[in-house]
Amino acid sequence: MTKVISNLESKKDDFSEYGDASILIARIKLSDLSAEVLNIGDHELLNKDGVVLARNGSAFPSNYNTSTQEVQLNKGEGLLLLSPGFFKNIEDKIDGEEYLTFVKKNWAAPVEFISELTFQTKKGYNENDFLPNDQTILMIEVDKNAISKI
């Protein structure tokens, strides 16, 4: 993580002409399923119970800090990553309710859940148009023997 942060710092001037970027970097230790996470931007990590890592309003290279947070993964649990673009597209509401309520109520297997969140996001826009903001939805599951990503 130190090398990644150092590399980011050295590239700060290279990014200045392109505007702000959001960056999420996670290093997961397979031995104890702990993760060290650097969140620059409005990414959010959630599990089925709620927010694990909150949005922070920072952006690279104009307004950010390089402090990391520890997140513990548990066997049999999944994590959902939602990008800043997702939140811009939904304006914190999914199907008329607060997004966190929707996530908790509808938590499902990765493929189905990502499809449902994408469908709900797209539902508010013309079906022939792309979403106005790029979004990423990623789920990481830890089963009893391995980490799988979808």
Side-chain angles (χ1 to χ4, degrees), residues 73-143:
L73 304 173
N74 299 307
K75 289 184 178 184
E77 181 179 84
L79 282 179
L80 173 68
L81 167 67
L82 300 173
S83 72
F86 174 82
F87 292 106
K88 288 177 184 174
N89 289 331
I90 66 163
E91 297 176 2
D92 285 354
K93 298 272 187 204
I94 300 176
D95 203 24
E97 65 185 337
E98 199 263 333
Y99 82 96
L100 192 53
T101 303
F102 183 90
V103 167
K104 288 178 179 181
K105 197 164 64 173
N106 294 287
W107 192 273
V111 173
E112 292 83 16
F113 197 44
I114 291 171
S115 296
E116 180 64 21
L117 288 173
T118 303
F119 170 76
Q120 291 296 334
T121 306
K122 185 77 170 117
K123 196 163 93 171
Y125 298 95
N126 181 327
E127 66 184 50
N128 297 320
D129 291 335
F130 288 109
L131 291 168
N133 298 286
D134 289 342
Q135 72 179 29
T136 299
I137 303 170
L138 173 76
M139 284 189 84
I140 299 171
E141 282 195 309
V142 181
D143 68 18

